[in-house]
Amino acid sequence: MALLPLVYLLVRTAEAGAGRIAEELFTGRVAVLTARTVALAAVVTAACVVLGVGTAFLVGRTDLPGRRLFAVLGALPLAVPTYIAAFTWVSTLDGFTGFWASAVVLSLCSYPYVYLPVVAALDRADAAQEDVARSLGHNPWRTFRSVTLPQLRPAVAGGALLVALYVLSDFGAVALLRTDTFTAAIFTAFDLGFDRTGALVLATVLVALTTVLLVGEGATRRRDARYAAVGAGARRPHTRLRLGPARLPAALLLAVVAALALGVPALNLARRLAAGVSRPGSLPEIAAAAGNSLTVSAAGAALTLLLALPIGLLVARAPGPLAAGAEGLSYLSHALPGVVIGLSLVFFGVNVAYPLYQTRWLLTLAYAVLFLPLAVAAVSAAVAQAPPVLEDVARSLGRSPARVLATVTVPLTVPGIAAGAALVFLTCMKELPATLLLRPTGMDTLATELWTHTGVAAYAAAAPYAALLVALSAIPTWFLAARTGALASQEGTR
Amino acid sequence: MTALDVTAAGKAYGPVAALAGAHLSVPEGALVAVLGPSGCGKTTLLRCVAGLERLDAGEIRVAGALVAGPRVHLPAHRRRVALVPQEGALFPHLSVADNVGYGLDRAARRSGRVDEVLALVGLADHHRRMPHQLSGGQQQRVALARALAPRPPLILLDEPFSALDAGLRAELRQDVRAALRADGATAVLVTHDQGEALSLADHVVVMRGGTVVQDGAPADVYAAPADPWVARFVGDAMLLAGTVTGGRARTAAGEAPVVGAGAAGDPGAVTVLVRPEQLRLTPAGDTAPGGITGRVLRHDFHGHDSVTVVGLDDGTRVLSRRLNDGARDEPGTAVTLRIEGPVRAWAADAAR
């Protein structure tokens, strides 16, 4: 079901004929696009690894002043959708466009993808192993390099690949900052010329690129098992490294990163918000957009969850490769660019399901396809909260399977499933490219209004939408940070 | 009447037979320990009795009623067999009182049965607590109270003490036994810990390779194991090569009368079981007949008792255990040793 649009995309591309494909594919423009997209992904990934690992180490393993605050600040950039960050930067600094502008904005927005798993891995890493290394005469730095860092490698690799996938699929920021990458080019080809074959071929190349990354991701994850802790035993807190005279400069460095990632968007929005809200006729427009966003996202979340429930249950309860792949599913959601899904559903709607075309239903379907992996991951994680042994016990106490479901399984799983639904709902609200491609003519959501206003440099008019969207995205970010333990672990250790 | 009867139970997972014709009979009011190494089928047996696994062959009767057999499989919730799993598995979203009351209907919940069983396990004032506020031992007590509450004809305890530390374990074991007794409950305890099985149960069933190899009172299983493997599994054992003539076994460590099956056997090569506490040491120079001389190799002090390792002239090493009397056998000292009491013997080719 999730693959339907992709299959359709491939079929339609193939129909265009080999000659036409080659004609579209082997052009200077495609080569330039590929080079630029790959370069952007590489630069942003490298920057995120440096920022993410550095922040995680300073927060998790040193006596950095204010590290609890920095622990939270490190996760927060996820709450700023990249197109909003791009909007605030371009409206603050005139002429802040091009490759490096995109690189800066995307790095500042996506380094939490590295920071969060690494800070969790630092927390999980066996303190006893480090104590042993120290007792065998290794200094703290050598211990970190030889014992801790190898344990972090899977987390770093996983985070870096997420960033790379994210850069490949990002549309809003690169389009606003006028950096021509695949997603922007696909949208332009479709939006301006209705250049069907061109858009399809470009989309196929993009899918190929993400597939390459996904395969790489799978390869690194298979090696993870080696780093698992051997044996049980109580967890002890880690020894923190004393920074000495470097304490203040280190804190200052993190403060600058936070200021760039969060301060610029916050200040800019605050400055323009008043002007945006007081613009004549803005309030009804905002209300209409918010209403549209809410209804479409609610429908999207409901459909997604409906499809995800049986799959999630199956994944969580069926042992074997299915369950092992459950975690991988959350990566998959980052691997299907919204532009591609949107585009393939446009063609699907026009040619196969015409009654759906130009209705909210097709948009709802797009959300379901895009965020199904996210919801499946949430459902299976929630079901794992109710281990089968609890059901065994309940049955041994004479309760029928239906009673067991109602009194044990459901109470334990519903909170997790509800959180998953909220996450999907809020992610739908933020979604830009598929919404732009599939919304019925005349229907505007918060995200599309922001896009329209920014496109014509009406920054003040765009600000209220941006502010609303940031407020909404902060909620799932908080969930994510709480679940990865970035917040909790810092409270436990001193 | 028996609370549980398992007859010729068979269960295979693919080509692996987890149960191969196991028999088990549990009298009402008894505490029976099923003892065996990991992989012997004891957990499979327990899950089949609980109704969580389907039996391939044989039958199971709970309080006389057939619950599993050819074409019969009563689902778990209709068997009235309560389970206490390894880690307690309390319902994390329910308070202690709600956990204990889970298997009770509304009337029974109001009847004070919850208080009664909580008092039995020594947690009378913990009603409102949530499971995560309890220690590991307390969680196990609540899990037992929850199983006791509906007065099931049978309670299954699946290694309930293995996750606890040693001091807590000993205390909890005795409390669990007392609570089961006080409530008149019948229970089957599955464990791989021989000390736990011997000290706790009225009756011990030793399993190996999916079948029951021995079944008896703890003292009998220890004193008269069915074969050398059981002898070693239920306690420290020296298995010495020897010969039997006229009801007496002759080994490198001395002579002793043979009792049980081995006594009447052919005079020939046998394997003789000597427990370390049967071997007495006296200072060298003891000239009473039957003494064997050896030299102390090591003395291991354990607090309440001590074990002396003695090397015999032919190179055999034997162990002697005695309650700690303050004496020390210095390594190198010459000693005389003697086997006290009767021993068991098996034909040598049966030894493993």
Side-chain angles (χ1 to χ4, degrees):
Chain A
M1 155 90 208
L3 290 176
L4 190 114
L6 274 187
V7 171
Y8 185 72
L9 175 79
L10 291 177
V11 169
R12 295 296 297 191
T13 313
E15 268 176 16
R20 181 90 170 77
I21 293 173
E23 202 176 291
E24 286 284 341
L25 199 55
F26 301 111
T27 60
R29 181 143 174 284
V30 171
V32 171
L33 275 180
T34 311
R36 192 181 291 129
T37 308
V38 170
L40 186 65
V43 168
V44 173
T45 306
C48 285
V49 166
V50 171
L51 281 175
V53 176
T55 311
F57 178 70
L58 285 174
V59 161
R61 286 298 167 82
T62 66
D63 60 347
L64 183 81
R67 52 180 179 270
R68 282 195 207 178
L69 176 69
F70 285 120
V72 179
L73 289 182
L76 278 185
L78 278 188
V80 186
T82 49
Y83 57 89
I84 289 177
F87 148 72
T88 56
W89 278 87
V90 80
S91 67
T92 306
L93 294 174
D94 220 15
F96 187 79
T97 54
F99 181 87
W100 290 105
S102 289
V104 167
V105 169
L106 285 173
S107 302
L108 287 174
C109 285
S110 16
Y111 81 88
Y113 285 124
V114 178
Y115 163 75
L116 284 172
V118 171
V119 91
L122 272 176
D123 188 52
R124 267 199 316 268
D126 190 356
Q129 294 179 10
E130 287 164 29
D131 294 348
V132 167
R134 298 288 299 277
S135 79
L136 293 173
H138 286 196
N139 64 30
W141 171 238
R142 208 169 145 206
T143 302
F144 181 76
R145 238 182 27 202
S146 62
V147 176
T148 318
L149 210 55
Q151 298 188 56
L152 296 186
R153 204 168 290 152
V156 175
L161 281 156
L162 266 186
V163 172
L165 288 172
Y166 190 80
V167 173
L168 288 187
S169 66
D170 183 71
F171 163 71
V174 291
L176 286 177
L177 296 173
R178 301 187 212 309
T179 314
D180 237 1
T181 61
F182 268 110
T183 49
I186 292 166
F187 185 76
T188 317
F190 171 80
D191 203 41
L192 297 184
F194 212 83
D195 174 9
R196 181 176 293 199
T197 315
L200 280 172
V201 170
L202 291 181
T204 312
V205 175
L206 182 56
V207 170
L209 273 180
T210 56
T211 311
V212 168
L213 271 183
L214 262 188
V215 171
E217 195 271 326
T220 53
R221 230 149 32 80
R222 264 191 293 282
R223 292 203 312 255
D224 283 9
R226 291 195 297 180
Y227 300 107
V230 182
R235 284 156 46 94
R236 270 166 306 106
H238 298 276
T239 326
R240 285 187 180 274
L241 185 71
R242 294 186 170 279
L243 289 176
R247 283 182 88 207
L248 283 181
L252 202 67
L253 202 66
L254 288 193
V256 168
V257 172
L260 289 177
L262 302 164
V264 170
L267 280 180
N268 184 282
L269 287 181
R271 198 157 58 85
R272 298 198 185 267
L273 193 56
V277 175
S278 58
R279 205 170 50 93
S282 69
L283 283 181
E285 194 188 285
I286 294 172
N292 283 335
S293 271
L294 283 173
T295 49
V296 181
S297 303
L303 180 65
T304 311
L305 211 65
L306 204 66
L307 296 173
L309 270 175
I311 306 176
L313 273 170
L314 193 74
V315 164
R317 281 294 148 85
L322 255 182
E327 202 197 327
L329 281 174
S330 52
Y331 287 86
L332 204 64
S333 64
H334 293 263
L336 299 175
V339 167
V340 174
I341 298 293
L343 189 69
S344 49
L345 276 177
V346 166
F347 291 131
F348 181 72
V350 169
N351 295 304
V352 181
Y354 194 72
L356 283 181
Y357 187 59
Q358 282 285 332
T359 67
R360 293 171 180 223
W361 295 112
L362 199 60
L363 185 54
T364 305
L365 188 64
Y367 289 153
V369 172
L370 275 172
F371 305 128
L372 186 64
L374 203 63
V376 169
V379 169
S380 60
V383 173
Q385 292 293 303
V389 64
L390 292 181
E391 291 167 14
D392 289 352
V393 169
R395 280 161 63 202
S396 88
L397 290 167
R399 294 295 175 231
S400 64
R403 270 295 291 283
V404 173
L405 191 72
T407 56
V408 175
T409 318
V410 168
L412 286 173
T413 46
V414 157
I417 292 175
L423 189 66
V424 173
F425 174 73
L426 291 162
T427 316
C428 290
M429 297 202 75
K430 285 198 303 184
E431 208 286 332
L432 179 64
T435 317
L436 277 175
L437 287 168
L438 290 169
R439 66 184 163 146
T441 313
M443 191 197 86
D444 270 305
T445 67
L446 294 175
T448 63
E449 285 278 18
L450 173 77
W451 167 261
T452 313
H453 288 304
T454 315
V456 295
Y459 299 135
Y465 300 104
L468 259 177
L469 280 167
V470 170
L472 289 170
S473 342
I475 301 167
T477 306
W478 185 82
F479 266 125
L480 186 70
R483 210 170 43 188
T484 2
L487 305 179
S489 71
Q490 296 314 310
E491 281 160 24
T493 48
R494 252 172 304 280
Chain B
M1 193 173 66
T2 53
L4 173 68
D5 265 308
V6 178
T7 321
K11 171 81 188 169
Y13 297 103
V16 184
L19 287 180
H23 290 264
L24 177 65
S25 178
V26 178
E28 209 173 306
L31 172 53
V32 171
V34 176
L35 175 68
S38 52
C40 72
K42 59 189 192 297
T43 299
T44 305
L45 177 65
L46 178 127
R47 291 182 65 82
C48 285
V49 170
L52 302 170
E53 300 279 350
R54 201 177 272 269
L55 215 53
D56 294 342
E59 51 175 62
I60 298 173
R61 286 173 189 277
V62 173
L66 186 69
V67 297
R71 288 177 301 282
V72 179
H73 178 81
L74 201 63
H77 62 279
R78 305 240 300 271
R79 290 197 182 187
R80 311 218 318 118
V81 173
L83 193 64
V84 179
Q86 225 169 74
E87 317 265 324
L90 297 184
F91 304 123
H93 59 302
L94 300 180
S95 69
V96 166
D98 289 341
N99 261 287
V100 174
Y102 186 83
L104 297 173
D105 56 34
R106 196 161 303 176
R109 230 171 290 170
R110 288 208 212 93
S111 70
R113 176 67 178 157
V114 171
D115 299 293
E116 190 182 323
V117 288
L118 274 177
L120 270 180
V121 297
L123 290 175
D125 48 358
H126 287 66
H127 285 79
R128 295 281 110 216
R129 297 277 185 91
M130 294 305 283
H132 65 87
Q133 298 170 308
L134 303 177
S135 68
Q138 288 173 329
Q139 292 188 12
Q140 283 298 9
R141 287 166 192 265
V142 175
L144 176 68
R146 179 177 62 184
L148 284 171
R151 298 185 206 278
L154 184 65
I155 294 178
L156 303 176
L157 303 142
D158 184 9
E159 311 223 8
F161 311 110
S162 60
L164 305 173
D165 56 56
L168 199 59
R169 208 182 300 173
E171 185 191 329
L172 187 61
R173 272 180 201 165
Q174 296 314 319
D175 288 357
V176 163
R177 176 154 84 161
L180 289 169
R181 281 276 145 72
D183 213 45
T186 310
V188 173
L189 166 76
V190 161
T191 180
H192 64 266
D193 180 334
Q194 44 90 12
E196 187 166 296
L198 296 180
S199 66
L200 211 52
D202 308 316
H203 204 83
V204 174
V205 173
V206 184
M207 279 187 78
R208 183 180 65 209
T211 54
V212 172
V213 286
Q214 194 170 5
D215 173 344
D220 296 341
V221 173
Y222 184 78
D227 60 33
W229 182 88
V230 175
R232 247 189 307 227
F233 190 70
V234 299
D236 287 340
M238 286 175 281
L239 294 168
L240 304 172
T243 52
V244 174
T245 33
R248 286 186 74 78
R250 197 182 296 274
T251 73
E255 284 187 25
V258 175
V259 292
D266 321 319
V270 289
T271 299
V272 178
L273 164 67
V274 181
R275 298 278 186 202
E277 61 272 19
Q278 285 184 283
L279 212 57
R280 295 284 162 199
L281 299 186
T282 48
D286 170 2
T287 50
I292 299 282
T293 56
R295 200 163 285 280
V296 173
L297 296 176
R298 209 171 73 215
H299 181 83
D300 299 337
F301 180 65
H302 294 294
H304 50 82
D305 64 6
S306 62
V307 172
T308 306
V309 184
V310 177
L312 303 181
D313 294 343
D314 69 345
T316 313
R317 288 169 163 229
V318 292
L319 306 177
S320 163
R321 171 181 286 139
R322 63 164 184 262
L323 284 177
N324 186 34
D325 51 7
R328 267 191 75 80
D329 299 308
E330 293 301 329
T333 319
V335 288
T336 300
L337 40 97
R338 192 167 268 116
I339 299 171
E340 222 171 56
V343 295
R344 298 268 149 186
W346 298 273
D349 50 20
R352 296 202 299 156

